[in-house]
Amino acid sequence: MKKLGNYVTGRWINGDGEGQALYNAVNGETIGYASTRGLDFNAILEYGRKTGNPALRKLTFHERGLMLKALALHLRNHLEKFYSISYKTGATKADSWVDIEGGIGNLFSYASLRRKFPNEPYCTDGDSIPLGKGGTFMGQHILVPKEGVVVHINAFNFPVWGMLEKIAVNLLAGVPAVVKPATITSYLTEAVVQEIIASGILPEGSLQLLCGSAGNLLDHVTAQDVVTFTGSASTGLQLKSHPRIMTENVPFTMEADSLNCIVLGDDVTPSMPEWDIFIKEVRREMTTKAGQKCTAIRRIFVPQNKMEDVWLALGKALSQTTIGNPENEKVRMGSLAGQSQREEVLAQVQKLLASSQIVYGSLDSVQVVDADAKKGAFMSPLLLKNENPFGSDAVHSVEAFGPVSTIMPYNSMEESIALAKKGKGSLVCSIVTASNANAREFVLGAATHHGRILVLNNECAKESTGHGSPLPLLVHGGPGRAGGGEEMGGVRGVHHYMQRVALQGSPTAITAITNVYQPGAQTREEEKHPFRKYFEELQIGDTVITHKRTVTEADIVNFANVSWDHFYAHTDHTSLEGTIFTKPVAHGYFILSAAAGLFVDAKKGPVMLNYGLEECRFIKPVYAGATIGVQLTCKEKVEQEKKDENDIAKGIVKWLVQVTDETGEQVAVATILTMVAKKNQ
């Protein structure tokens, strides 16, 4: 029998002893064994810190992002292998698609997110803050990668997605990972890691894998490390309370099982499309991955007068779900991940039955296709009914982690909100309603207790990714019982693996540190106009101070006629009483246009086009007779990759535009963007 390997300290190592047996969830046959006995967990963490961390920290966000893209493309070449192994976990083709290709999709998403960051190993965070009246002292937050290792302790239900959705974020941040998948399905995680390591795409030490027990791994974490956990709330509490986590103040992110719910709005009737949407969503969430999802719907709240109609419709929908061998094309629900999981689910159902009753399904039997129900970890979907949700605690605190859900009544939107909150914090809840007023009332009332809320109606149903699908650029996590943590979340998620530092100093010093021009910093004005410089030649702080021009009444009238902006403040002398203006004022966009006329170098050169405007403020009114001048400063440079071999090598340059009048006061400030060609094509 195969023994799974552990990829640590740069090589594949088998743990000592026989280890834990791993079983095919569909037929009960032994697949292999997993063991981490004999491994030096302290050495594993030190290897990540001393080998993987420095290598990743040297790379810029753009380089790390391109690394993720290359990895995603590589893994797509091995989908057939991953699917064939995934079937052994009990997952159908559709289930496996979410796990495998959904995980790879996270790599692509975070690869694309590199464009939100500078081409540097670190980044600024938020706006600069003036700290002195004279403009010589300021503050700026920056983010740098932590110098440790991220320890990911993952759940059994998504052995691929659970790993890839997490490492995509920490690798983009510049921090290596040690992944400890749940042992029961770790054979699929191992297969993916084998291909990752074989590709040679990641710097050595960026990713290590443990198949088996985590041993005393947490005894060796430090304040520069991060620990994430996905699994049961009880196990998460034990890990979060680990003495080393507490004494070292190690950042700990938990995503725990939760009693997620769905609400049918009281406006929805059986004749409406939202009714069918609701039934389809509940059925899908009960049967996808055989209900083994931390985001699955466990509580169903419907108006009291629609209870029977809903459970009958759900029973009919569930009866059309073919259960059995996931490799059979007719099968829509496979097995649970193992016999132990089925036993655990059935034990939890017994607790729920103390206050609820089964209205669909059977505890004892299940009809399966192309499989043996006794050898495989199969069970029937179970729909329970609880008529007294305010008087029952178990239905809001006991989770059966399988194809099990409970339907309950409510009498008002206020009651539905109160019931949703009784889960004491969840990853996600949904409301299906055609009434935006109902949606608003529910969201604002229930938002404090949920990490994500899906508002589902006929308008968005076709494009909706569904109740149970966390998305890379949205946070995944929830308060209270759900763990109080966050995963993914786009830029927000990357920040979790970085240290935020508040810098204080002169604008010139902070410009040099951040590579972003800060107002008041020293500039360089040369005879060669900045627009004559190629992207590589431009330096942060390159400046041109223009000659001046006087604004005339004719300018204001002509701009109004050209732009067709005849707003009263520009054109009507008789309507200014009670306003802040003493006479017709120049259009703000005229001032910006006039500024461009002053600072632009008109000859053909490296500047290819105006790429846009990031920010613009009109600070002081400009009247006819005022004389304006401009200071244009190179603020920031953003690399752009070639789309193909025929594309022009180029980058985006951000320019700070400061417009002043004859008194020296600023009248307008803006950041404009130009696309600038590179000298080296």
Side-chain angles (χ1 to χ4, degrees):
M1 282 294 176
K2 173 187 176 183
K3 181 181 283 189
L4 300 190
N6 302 286
Y7 187 75
V8 293
T9 61
R11 61 193 191 279
W12 288 98
I13 301 176
N14 287 334
D16 296 339
E18 183 178 71
Q20 179 177 331
L22 308 177
Y23 301 99
N24 184 317
V26 178
N27 57 28
E29 294 177 357
T30 304
I31 294 173
Y33 298 87
S35 171
T36 58
R37 285 181 58 190
L39 298 184
D40 186 337
F41 292 104
N42 184 47
I44 291 168
L45 291 175
E46 279 297 296
Y47 184 77
R49 295 182 194 118
K50 293 180 178 178
T51 303
N53 190 283
L56 287 170
R57 285 170 63 87
K58 288 178 183 177
L59 300 177
T60 68
F61 283 106
H62 290 207
E63 290 169 330
R64 297 173 200 146
L66 290 172
M67 176 183 74
L68 293 178
K69 181 179 179 181
L71 185 59
L73 290 170
H74 173 77
L75 292 178
R76 283 177 62 178
N77 294 328
H78 301 276
L79 293 178
E80 186 176 343
K81 172 185 176 181
F82 301 152
Y83 274 105
S84 66
I85 299 173
S86 181
Y87 291 132
K88 298 176 183 179
T89 71
T92 65
K93 180 70 177 287
D95 297 337
S96 300
W97 183 91
V98 174
D99 185 28
I100 297 167
E101 298 192 53
I104 293 172
N106 271 62
L107 294 177
F108 279 121
S109 290
Y110 278 85
S112 297
L113 198 68
R114 69 189 184 277
R115 300 186 182 98
K116 295 287 186 181
F117 293 93
N119 194 28
E120 303 279 0
Y122 53 88
C123 62
T124 58
D125 180 35
D127 297 328
S128 59
I129 304 158
L131 298 176
K133 292 182 179 179
T136 63
F137 188 54
M138 62 164 292
Q140 173 70 61
H141 291 97
I142 67 168
L143 291 156
V144 297
K146 290 180 177 290
E147 292 187 348
V149 175
V150 184
V151 176
H152 294 309
I153 302 173
N154 297 337
F156 70 84
N157 50 341
F158 287 99
V160 182
W161 182 87
M163 172 178 67
L164 296 184
E165 64 98 356
K166 290 183 179 182
I167 69 168
V169 189
N170 64 254
L171 291 175
L172 185 60
V175 183
V178 174
V179 174
K180 210 302 283 184
T183 307
I184 188 173
T185 53
S186 59
Y187 52 88
L188 177 53
T189 313
E190 187 219 30
V192 176
V193 173
Q194 282 180 349
E195 292 301 336
I196 292 175
I197 300 305
S199 75
I201 292 169
L202 299 184
E204 185 52 60
S206 301
L207 177 63
Q208 298 182 83
L209 175 71
L210 298 172
C211 292
S213 168
N216 67 347
L217 183 68
L218 295 188
D219 289 346
H220 306 289
V221 294
T222 70
Q224 285 294 313
D225 300 322
V226 177
V227 177
T228 77
F229 169 76
T230 302
S232 71
S234 57
T235 303
L237 179 60
Q238 293 177 15
L239 298 177
K240 192 174 184 178
S241 305
H242 190 285
R244 186 75 173 184
I245 298 285
M246 300 179 73
T247 57
E248 289 282 322
N249 289 313
V250 179
F252 185 94
T253 295
M254 179 163 69
E255 185 254 279
D257 48 20
S258 59
L259 279 297
N260 312 296
C261 68
I262 189 169
V263 175
L264 179 67
D266 58 15
D267 61 298
V268 179
T269 64
S271 63
M272 296 170 63
E274 281 75 14
W275 180 275
D276 295 330
I277 291 167
F278 179 85
I279 299 301
K280 181 180 179 180
E281 196 70 19
V282 174
R283 174 195 174 184
R284 179 169 63 181
E285 289 303 311
M286 286 184 66
T287 58
T288 299
K289 292 287 287 188
Q292 299 169 112
K293 296 200 304 178
C294 55
T295 53
I297 293 170
R298 307 299 179 196
R299 300 178 300 151
I300 307 165
F301 300 120
V302 302
Q304 176 76 62
N305 62 354
K306 297 185 178 76
M307 276 282 285
E308 185 173 359
D309 288 341
V310 172
W311 89 58
L312 288 175
L314 283 174
K316 182 179 180 181
L318 290 169
S319 69
Q320 297 168 358
T321 303
T322 305
I323 304 168
N325 185 344
E327 293 190 72
N328 188 306
E329 292 182 357
K330 296 180 181 179
V331 168
R332 294 295 175 265
M333 185 178 114
S335 68
L336 275 68
Q339 297 285 2
S340 61
Q341 293 299 317
R342 183 173 64 179
E343 292 170 6
E344 172 65 21
V345 171
L346 293 176
Q348 295 297 87
V349 170
Q350 290 297 336
K351 297 177 184 178
L352 292 172
L353 290 177
S355 56
S356 304
Q357 65 184 90
I358 297 174
V359 292
Y360 177 83
S362 169
L363 283 172
D364 305 317
S365 63
V366 57
Q367 191 171 17
V368 299
V369 172
D370 198 15
D372 186 323
K374 294 182 179 180
K375 291 182 179 179
F378 296 99
M379 70 172 288
S380 165
L382 296 174
L383 180 63
L384 280 56
K385 178 185 69 170
N386 186 304
E387 295 279 13
N388 184 24
F390 283 104
S392 306
D393 291 330
V395 74
H396 303 293
S397 60
V398 174
E399 180 177 31
F401 202 73
V404 183
S405 195
T406 305
I407 185 170
M408 293 168 272
Y410 73 86
N411 292 298
S412 66
M413 288 305 298
E414 185 178 1
E415 279 195 7
S416 73
I417 293 168
L419 288 170
K421 291 180 178 180
K422 284 182 73 67
K424 297 182 180 179
S426 80
L427 298 170
V428 56
C429 74
S430 293
I431 178 169
V432 180
T433 177
S435 166
N436 290 331
N438 276 355
R440 174 183 168 85
E441 181 182 355
F442 181 82
V443 168
L444 297 182
T448 53
H449 284 59
H450 306 282
R452 175 168 58 90
I453 298 179
L454 169 63
V455 179
L456 196 53
N457 59 24
N458 190 46
E459 187 177 343
C460 69
K462 286 184 179 179
E463 288 194 316
S464 170
T465 50
H467 167 98
S469 298
L471 297 174
L473 301 186
L474 295 179
V475 294
H476 177 49
R481 177 184 172 124
E486 285 186 357
E487 294 174 4
M488 301 191 296
V491 170
R492 295 172 57 92
V494 176
H495 291 178
H496 290 320
Y497 300 106
M498 306 185 79
Q499 178 63 47
R500 181 176 288 103
V501 182
L503 293 184
Q504 294 172 288
S506 71
T508 300
I510 292 182
T511 293
I513 293 168
T514 62
N515 233 3
V516 177
Y517 177 78
Q518 307 293 341
Q522 293 176 8
T523 59
R524 285 178 302 281
E525 189 175 13
E526 301 174 349
E527 185 175 340
K528 187 177 185 179
H529 192 286
F531 276 28
R532 309 306 303 163
K533 296 182 178 181
Y534 287 95
F535 185 82
E536 303 98 319
E537 297 173 328
L538 277 166
Q539 298 182 53
I540 304 302
D542 281 354
T543 296
V544 60
I545 298 175
T546 72
H547 61 279
K548 298 182 178 180
R549 103 167 245 179
T550 299
V551 177
T552 66
E553 289 186 4
D555 288 330
I556 299 173
V557 173
N558 289 337
F559 192 84
N561 290 332
V562 170
S563 66
W564 213 242
D565 177 359
H566 292 93
F567 186 65
Y568 78 89
H570 307 307
T571 59
D572 189 351
H573 289 255
T574 66
S575 299
L576 299 177
E577 186 177 350
T579 72
I580 65 171
F581 305 114
T582 58
K583 51 186 175 179
V585 65
H587 304 68
Y589 294 112
F590 168 74
I591 298 302
L592 194 60
S593 300
L598 291 171
F599 68 67
V600 165
D601 184 281
K603 297 178 183 177
K604 183 178 180 180
V607 176
M608 301 166 62
L609 53 85
N610 188 329
Y611 195 67
L613 188 69
E614 271 196 346
E615 55 188 355
C616 180
R617 294 285 300 278
F618 304 120
I619 301 166
K620 179 183 176 182
V622 177
Y623 300 110
T627 298
I628 61 171
V630 184
Q631 178 172 328
L632 177 78
T633 306
C634 179
K635 179 180 180 180
E636 189 175 353
K637 295 166 62 180
V638 182
E639 294 275 352
Q640 279 207 324
E641 300 138 23
K642 282 189 172 186
K643 295 179 181 178
D644 54 54
E645 60 183 13
N646 298 317
D647 194 14
I648 297 173
K650 58 191 179 298
I652 302 301
V653 179
K654 299 182 181 182
W655 304 89
L656 177 64
V657 179
Q658 296 168 294
V659 187
T660 54
D661 63 14
E662 69 278 4
T663 68
E665 294 183 353
Q666 281 195 355
V667 298
V669 62
T671 298
I672 68 163
L673 287 70
T674 61
M675 184 177 287
V676 181
K678 291 185 176 181
K679 192 170 186 177
N680 181 8
Q681 288 295 313

